[in-house]
Amino acid sequence: MLDKIISFVNGIVWSPALVVLLVGAGLYFSIRTGFVQLRRIGLMTRLLFRKREQTGKKGVSSFEAFCIALSGRVGTGNIVGVATAIALGGPGAVFWMWIIAFLGASTAFVESTLAQIYKFDHEEGFRGGPACYIEKGLKSRWLAVVFALFTIAGCGMMLTTVQANGISTAAMNSLGIKPLVTGLILAFLIGLVIVGGIKRISKVAAVVTPFMAAAYVLIALVILALNWKAIPGLLSMIATNAFGINPVCGGILGSTIMMGVKRGLFSNEAGQGTGAIPSASADVRHPAEQGLVQAFSVYVDTLLVCTATALIILSAGTFNILDADGNMLVANRPELGSNYVGFTQAAIDSFVGGFGSIFVSIALAFFVFTTIMAYYFYSESSIIYLCNLSGNPSRKKEKLYIRLLQAVMLCAVVFGAVKEANTIWTLGDIGVGIMAWVNVVAIIILSPKAFKALKEYEKSVRRKSPGTPGPEGTDA
């Protein structure tokens, strides 16, 4: 009964209207910013390593905010999510993941710029995100509260279970470790970090996230270099399946597009609003700077890490494709249940015998660890926002609610590790979808402020003297 209810809710949240909204918003933002995600790639990389603007400790550096957001983006979606997209949408789903990443980079720019414009000061540093720009920009406190609650439920519980499920399945496949044991170990390690708050999270993310992403992509590049002759054929396979040209996947074109958008958004989070939360914590000279940095993080997530996974799986041929009724259209692998992490493990095993399962488990361990850290930060920031609504917050109550959040998240880690994967992934999709519905509508309405900030910033860049933003993002 519970599974049927969850599936019904997911069908409502993830109607074709949400796909149209996400793609349409990304296209609109791209056009209005003059495709800033292409024009300013060089500037994006330079801004990554700019030092904090203030000498105090009010905010994290731009690079630390980038790493926290990237921690949330790079997770099971890059390994399990890509495999799931191929299984349920065919190779063409990868193309739609690329599209949602390209358009999503402009969406990430808008939401992260708005987060900087409407951030607020807290004793632990700057905080903000969609709840703040919905309240202050749209003048809708009730909707801001709804989004904050969605964030706590979506990231603190639903999405956390997805991450834990991915690593527990991989560990069981490669090392025979029982899911409960994996869940308990992961919960213990996560607990050690999140009790330290934003400073500890940012420091850990700044070290672990670049390392884990670079190591995974490096292994993928080595494998693809050894099999370079197959790459043109793989790209052709992705393109033909993306538009239903291949007769095998022609009947699941709707699933191809839907899975590409779903798994693309689940992985890169552009439009979901979560990337805007660490963006608000960054100490930068101008709101547009953090918008550009976060646009770049979408590229790192999808165009690098997700693509690496997809090409490895497709080149090895270690995948199945199913239609909407669960019938096998392509059967290259034994039935693996509803969690498709085995596609990636078997693919690497086929190139480096006996190494794939263990390597994927190790990579997932790092990915999951840092992603759940990011989810905690998103949820904690939402609690801080809710506690500050009155203007006279009780720090004692705030700390109590944060401790409660920590306990709930650690329980969610253990629950996700032992629960059946289909239910977990559906819960994760609901969590992403409900946040995206609210956030995308909000940033479409508020986007003129982000466009204005970009215009002002690009003028200041041409003058080589970026302005210092005032409280509403204008030059002080």
Side-chain angles (χ1 to χ4, degrees), residues 364-421:
L364 264 178
F366 281 110
F367 287 180
V368 167
F369 180 73
T370 54
T371 297
I372 294 178
M373 283 195 317
Y375 287 168
Y376 169 76
F377 178 67
Y378 304 157
S379 304
E380 181 193 83
S381 294
S382 297
I383 287 177
I384 290 174
Y385 165 77
L386 292 172
C387 290
N388 277 267
L389 279 175
S390 65
N392 186 27
S394 167
R395 298 305 180 203
K396 186 175 181 180
K397 285 186 177 180
E398 182 181 288
K399 290 179 180 178
L400 174 62
Y401 293 144
I402 287 174
R403 292 303 182 198
L404 181 60
L405 169 67
Q406 292 169 350
V408 169
M409 284 198 69
L410 296 181
C411 289
V413 168
V414 178
F415 174 79
V418 301
K419 188 63 178 173
E420 197 272 331

Coordinates of all heavy atoms in Angstrom, one line a residue, residues 364-421:
L364 N 31.8 5.4 -4.5 CA 30.5 5.7 -3.9 C 30.6 6.1 -2.5 O 29.8 7.0 -2.0 CB 29.6 4.5 -4.1 CG 28.7 4.5 -5.3 CD1 27.8 3.2 -5.4 CD2 27.7 5.7 -5.3
A365 N 31.5 5.4 -1.7 CA 31.6 5.8 -0.3 C 32.0 7.2 -0.2 O 31.4 8.0 0.7 CB 32.7 4.9 0.3
F366 N 32.9 7.7 -1.0 CA 33.3 9.1 -0.9 C 32.2 10.0 -1.4 O 31.9 11.1 -0.8 CB 34.6 9.4 -1.8 CG 35.8 9.0 -1.1 CD1 36.6 7.9 -1.6 CD2 36.3 9.7 -0.1 CE1 37.8 7.6 -1.0 CE2 37.5 9.4 0.5 CZ 38.3 8.3 0.1
F367 N 31.5 9.6 -2.5 CA 30.5 10.4 -3.1 C 29.3 10.6 -2.1 O 28.8 11.7 -1.8 CB 29.9 9.8 -4.4 CG 30.8 9.9 -5.5 CD1 30.5 9.4 -6.8 CD2 32.1 10.6 -5.5 CE1 31.3 9.5 -7.9 CE2 32.9 10.7 -6.6 CZ 32.5 10.2 -7.8
V368 N 28.9 9.4 -1.5 CA 27.8 9.4 -0.6 C 28.1 10.2 0.7 O 27.3 11.0 1.2 CB 27.4 8.0 -0.2 CG1 26.4 8.0 1.0 CG2 26.7 7.3 -1.4
F369 N 29.3 10.1 1.2 CA 29.7 10.7 2.4 C 29.6 12.3 2.3 O 29.0 12.9 3.1 CB 31.1 10.3 2.8 CG 31.7 11.0 4.0 CD1 31.2 10.6 5.2 CD2 32.6 12.0 3.9 CE1 31.7 11.2 6.4 CE2 33.1 12.6 5.1 CZ 32.7 12.2 6.3
T370 N 30.2 12.8 1.2 CA 30.1 14.2 1.0 C 28.8 14.7 0.6 O 28.4 15.9 1.0 CB 31.2 14.7 0.0 OG1 30.9 13.9 -1.3 CG2 32.6 14.4 0.4
T371 N 28.0 13.9 -0.1 CA 26.7 14.4 -0.5 C 25.7 14.5 0.7 O 25.0 15.5 0.8 CB 26.1 13.4 -1.5 OG1 26.9 13.4 -2.7 CG2 24.6 13.8 -1.9
I372 N 25.8 13.5 1.6 CA 25.0 13.6 2.8 C 25.4 14.8 3.7 O 24.6 15.5 4.3 CB 25.0 12.3 3.6 CG1 24.3 11.2 2.7 CG2 24.3 12.4 4.9 CD1 24.4 9.8 3.4
M373 N 26.7 15.1 3.7 CA 27.2 16.3 4.4 C 26.5 17.5 3.8 O 26.0 18.4 4.5 CB 28.7 16.5 4.2 CG 29.5 15.6 5.1 SD 31.2 16.2 5.2 CE 31.6 16.6 3.5
A374 N 26.4 17.6 2.5 CA 25.8 18.8 1.8 C 24.3 18.8 2.1 O 23.7 19.9 2.4 CB 26.0 18.7 0.3
Y375 N 23.6 17.6 2.1 CA 22.2 17.6 2.4 C 22.0 18.1 3.9 O 21.0 18.7 4.1 CB 21.7 16.1 2.3 CG 21.5 15.6 0.9 CD1 21.3 14.3 0.6 CD2 21.6 16.5 -0.2 CE1 21.2 13.8 -0.6 CE2 21.5 16.0 -1.5 CZ 21.3 14.7 -1.7 OH 21.1 14.2 -3.0
Y376 N 22.9 17.7 4.7 CA 22.7 18.2 6.1 C 22.8 19.7 6.2 O 22.0 20.4 6.9 CB 23.8 17.6 7.0 CG 23.8 18.3 8.4 CD1 22.8 18.0 9.3 CD2 24.8 19.2 8.7 CE1 22.8 18.7 10.5 CE2 24.8 19.9 9.9 CZ 23.8 19.6 10.8 OH 23.7 20.3 12.0
F377 N 23.8 20.3 5.4 CA 23.9 21.7 5.4 C 22.7 22.4 4.9 O 22.2 23.4 5.4 CB 25.1 22.1 4.6 CG 25.3 23.6 4.5 CD1 25.6 24.3 5.7 CD2 25.2 24.3 3.3 CE1 25.8 25.7 5.6 CE2 25.4 25.6 3.2 CZ 25.7 26.4 4.4
Y378 N 22.1 21.9 3.8 CA 20.9 22.4 3.3 C 19.8 22.4 4.3 O 19.0 23.4 4.5 CB 20.4 21.6 2.0 CG 21.4 21.4 0.9 CD1 21.2 20.4 0.0 CD2 22.4 22.3 0.7 CE1 22.1 20.2 -1.0 CE2 23.3 22.1 -0.3 CZ 23.2 21.1 -1.2 OH 24.0 20.9 -2.2
S379 N 19.6 21.3 5.0 CA 18.5 21.2 6.0 C 18.8 22.0 7.2 O 17.9 22.7 7.7 CB 18.4 19.7 6.4 OG 18.2 18.8 5.3
E380 N 20.0 22.1 7.7 CA 20.4 22.9 8.8 C 20.1 24.4 8.5 O 19.5 25.1 9.3 CB 21.8 22.7 9.2 CG 22.2 23.6 10.4 CD 23.7 23.6 10.6 OE1 24.4 24.5 10.0 OE2 24.2 22.9 11.4
S381 N 20.5 24.8 7.3 CA 20.2 26.2 6.9 C 18.7 26.5 6.9 O 18.3 27.7 7.2 CB 20.8 26.5 5.5 OG 22.3 26.4 5.6
S382 N 17.9 25.6 6.5 CA 16.5 25.8 6.5 C 15.9 25.9 7.9 O 15.0 26.7 8.1 CB 15.8 24.6 5.7 OG 16.2 24.5 4.4
I383 N 16.5 25.1 8.8 CA 16.0 25.2 10.2 C 16.4 26.6 10.7 O 15.6 27.3 11.4 CB 16.7 24.1 11.0 CG1 16.0 22.8 10.7 CG2 16.6 24.4 12.5 CD1 16.5 21.6 11.5
I384 N 17.6 27.0 10.4 CA 18.1 28.4 10.9 C 17.2 29.5 10.3 O 16.8 30.4 11.0 CB 19.6 28.6 10.5 CG1 20.5 27.7 11.3 CG2 20.0 30.1 10.7 CD1 21.9 27.7 10.9
Y385 N 16.8 29.3 9.0 CA 15.9 30.3 8.4 C 14.6 30.3 9.2 O 14.1 31.4 9.6 CB 15.7 30.0 7.0 CG 14.5 30.7 6.4 CD1 14.6 32.0 6.1 CD2 13.2 30.1 6.3 CE1 13.5 32.7 5.6 CE2 12.1 30.7 5.8 CZ 12.3 32.1 5.4 OH 11.2 32.8 5.0
L386 N 14.0 29.2 9.5 CA 12.7 29.1 10.1 C 12.8 29.7 11.6 O 11.9 30.3 12.0 CB 12.2 27.6 10.2 CG 11.8 27.0 8.9 CD1 11.6 25.5 9.0 CD2 10.6 27.7 8.2
C387 N 13.9 29.4 12.2 CA 14.1 29.9 13.6 C 14.3 31.4 13.6 O 14.1 32.1 14.7 CB 15.2 29.2 14.3 SG 14.9 27.5 14.7
N388 N 14.7 32.0 12.5 CA 15.0 33.5 12.4 C 13.8 34.3 11.9 O 13.9 35.5 11.7 CB 16.2 33.7 11.6 CG 17.5 33.5 12.4 OD1 18.0 34.5 12.9 ND2 18.0 32.3 12.4
L389 N 12.7 33.6 11.6 CA 11.5 34.3 11.0 C 11.0 35.4 12.0 O 10.5 36.4 11.5 CB 10.4 33.3 10.7 CG 10.6 32.5 9.4 CD1 9.5 31.5 9.3 CD2 10.5 33.5 8.2
S390 N 11.0 35.1 13.3 CA 10.4 36.0 14.2 C 11.2 37.3 14.4 O 10.7 38.3 14.9 CB 10.3 35.3 15.6 OG 11.6 35.0 16.1
G391 N 12.5 37.3 14.0 CA 13.4 38.4 14.2 C 14.0 38.4 15.5 O 14.9 39.2 15.8
N392 N 13.6 37.5 16.4 CA 14.2 37.4 17.8 C 14.3 36.0 18.1 O 13.6 35.4 19.0 CB 13.2 38.1 18.8 CG 13.9 38.2 20.2 OD1 15.1 38.1 20.3 ND2 13.0 38.2 21.2
P393 N 15.2 35.3 17.4 CA 15.3 33.8 17.5 C 15.9 33.4 18.8 O 16.7 34.1 19.5 CB 16.3 33.5 16.4 CG 17.1 34.7 16.2 CD 16.2 35.8 16.4
S394 N 15.4 32.2 19.2 CA 16.0 31.6 20.4 C 17.1 30.6 20.0 O 16.8 29.6 19.4 CB 14.9 30.8 21.2 OG 15.4 30.0 22.2
R395 N 18.3 30.9 20.4 CA 19.4 30.1 20.0 C 19.3 28.7 20.7 O 19.8 27.7 20.1 CB 20.8 30.7 20.4 CG 21.0 32.1 19.7 CD 21.0 32.0 18.2 NE 21.2 33.2 17.6 CZ 20.8 33.5 16.3 NH1 20.1 32.6 15.6 NH2 21.1 34.7 15.8
K396 N 18.7 28.7 21.8 CA 18.6 27.4 22.5 C 17.6 26.5 21.7 O 17.9 25.3 21.5 CB 18.0 27.6 23.9 CG 17.9 26.4 24.8 CD 17.5 26.7 26.2 CE 17.5 25.4 27.1 NZ 17.0 25.7 28.5
K397 N 16.5 27.0 21.3 CA 15.6 26.2 20.5 C 16.2 25.8 19.1 O 16.0 24.7 18.6 CB 14.3 27.0 20.2 CG 13.4 27.1 21.4 CD 12.0 27.7 21.1 CE 11.1 27.7 22.3 NZ 9.8 28.3 21.9
E398 N 16.9 26.8 18.5 CA 17.6 26.5 17.3 C 18.5 25.3 17.4 O 18.5 24.4 16.5 CB 18.3 27.8 16.8 CG 19.0 27.6 15.5 CD 19.8 28.9 15.1 OE1 19.1 29.9 14.7 OE2 21.0 28.8 15.1
K399 N 19.4 25.3 18.4 CA 20.3 24.2 18.6 C 19.6 22.9 18.9 O 20.0 21.8 18.4 CB 21.3 24.6 19.7 CG 22.2 25.7 19.4 CD 23.2 26.0 20.5 CE 24.1 27.1 20.2 NZ 25.0 27.5 21.3
L400 N 18.4 23.0 19.6 CA 17.7 21.8 19.9 C 17.1 21.2 18.6 O 17.2 20.0 18.3 CB 16.5 22.1 20.8 CG 15.5 21.0 21.1 CD1 16.2 19.8 21.8 CD2 14.3 21.4 21.9
Y401 N 16.6 22.0 17.7 CA 16.0 21.5 16.4 C 17.2 21.0 15.5 O 16.9 20.0 14.8 CB 15.3 22.7 15.7 CG 14.1 23.2 16.4 CD1 13.7 24.5 16.4 CD2 13.2 22.3 17.1 CE1 12.6 25.0 17.0 CE2 12.1 22.7 17.7 CZ 11.8 24.0 17.7 OH 10.6 24.5 18.3
I402 N 18.3 21.6 15.6 CA 19.5 21.1 14.8 C 19.9 19.7 15.3 O 20.2 18.8 14.5 CB 20.6 22.1 14.8 CG1 20.3 23.4 14.0 CG2 21.9 21.5 14.3 CD1 21.3 24.5 14.1
R403 N 19.9 19.5 16.6 CA 20.3 18.2 17.1 C 19.3 17.2 16.7 O 19.6 16.0 16.4 CB 20.4 18.3 18.7 CG 21.5 19.1 19.2 CD 22.9 18.6 18.7 NE 24.0 19.4 19.2 CZ 25.2 19.5 18.7 NH1 25.5 18.8 17.6 NH2 26.1 20.2 19.3
L404 N 18.0 17.6 16.7 CA 16.9 16.7 16.3 C 17.1 16.3 14.8 O 17.0 15.1 14.4 CB 15.6 17.3 16.5 CG 14.3 16.5 16.1 CD1 14.3 15.2 16.9 CD2 13.1 17.3 16.3
L405 N 17.5 17.3 14.0 CA 17.7 17.0 12.6 C 18.9 16.0 12.4 O 18.8 15.1 11.6 CB 18.1 18.3 11.9 CG 18.7 18.2 10.4 CD1 17.6 17.7 9.5 CD2 19.2 19.5 10.0
Q406 N 19.9 16.2 13.2 CA 21.1 15.3 13.1 C 20.7 13.9 13.4 O 21.0 12.9 12.7 CB 22.2 15.8 14.1 CG 22.8 17.1 13.6 CD 23.7 17.7 14.7 OE1 23.8 17.2 15.8 NE2 24.5 18.7 14.4
A407 N 19.8 13.7 14.4 CA 19.4 12.4 14.8 C 18.5 11.7 13.7 O 18.7 10.6 13.3 CB 18.6 12.4 16.1
V408 N 17.6 12.6 13.1 CA 16.7 12.1 12.1 C 17.5 11.7 10.8 O 17.3 10.6 10.2 CB 15.7 13.1 11.7 CG1 14.9 12.7 10.4 CG2 14.7 13.3 12.9
M409 N 18.5 12.5 10.5 CA 19.3 12.2 9.3 C 20.1 10.9 9.5 O 20.2 10.1 8.5 CB 20.2 13.3 8.9 CG 19.5 14.5 8.3 SD 20.6 15.6 7.4 CE 21.2 14.6 6.0
L410 N 20.7 10.7 10.6 CA 21.4 9.5 10.9 C 20.5 8.2 10.8 O 21.0 7.2 10.3 CB 22.2 9.6 12.2 CG 23.2 10.7 12.3 CD1 23.9 10.7 13.6 CD2 24.3 10.6 11.1
C411 N 19.3 8.4 11.3 CA 18.3 7.3 11.2 C 18.0 7.0 9.7 O 17.8 5.9 9.3 CB 17.1 7.6 12.0 SG 17.3 7.5 13.8
A412 N 17.8 8.1 9.0 CA 17.5 8.0 7.5 C 18.6 7.3 6.8 O 18.4 6.5 5.8 CB 17.3 9.4 6.9
V413 N 19.9 7.5 7.2 CA 21.0 6.8 6.6 C 20.9 5.3 6.8 O 21.0 4.5 5.8 CB 22.4 7.3 7.2 CG1 23.5 6.4 6.8 CG2 22.6 8.7 6.7
V414 N 20.6 4.9 8.0 CA 20.4 3.4 8.3 C 19.2 2.9 7.5 O 19.3 1.8 7.0 CB 20.3 3.2 9.8 CG1 20.1 1.7 10.1 CG2 21.6 3.7 10.5
F415 N 18.1 3.6 7.6 CA 16.9 3.1 6.9 C 17.1 3.0 5.4 O 16.7 2.0 4.8 CB 15.8 4.1 7.1 CG 14.5 3.8 6.4 CD1 13.6 2.9 6.8 CD2 14.2 4.5 5.2 CE1 12.4 2.6 6.1 CE2 13.0 4.3 4.5 CZ 12.1 3.3 5.0
G416 N 17.7 4.0 4.8 CA 18.0 3.9 3.3 C 18.9 2.7 3.0 O 18.8 2.1 1.9
A417 N 19.9 2.4 3.8 CA 20.8 1.3 3.6 C 20.1 0.0 3.5 O 20.6 -0.9 2.7 CB 21.9 1.3 4.6
V418 N 19.1 -0.2 4.2 CA 18.4 -1.5 4.3 C 17.2 -1.6 3.5 O 16.6 -2.8 3.3 CB 18.1 -1.9 5.8 CG1 19.4 -2.0 6.6 CG2 17.1 -1.0 6.4
K419 N 16.6 -0.5 3.0 CA 15.3 -0.5 2.3 C 15.5 -0.9 0.8 O 16.5 -0.7 0.2 CB 14.7 0.9 2.4 CG 13.2 1.0 1.9 CD 12.3 0.1 2.7 CE 10.9 0.2 2.1 NZ 9.9 -0.7 2.8
E420 N 14.4 -1.4 0.2 CA 14.4 -1.8 -1.2 C 14.6 -0.6 -2.1 O 14.0 0.5 -1.8 CB 13.1 -2.5 -1.5 CG 13.1 -3.4 -2.8 CD 12.8 -2.5 -4.0 OE1 12.0 -1.6 -3.8 OE2 13.3 -2.8 -5.1
A421 N 15.4 -0.7 -3.1 CA 15.8 0.4 -3.9 C 14.7 1.1 -4.6 O 14.8 2.4 -4.8 CB 16.9 0.0 -4.9

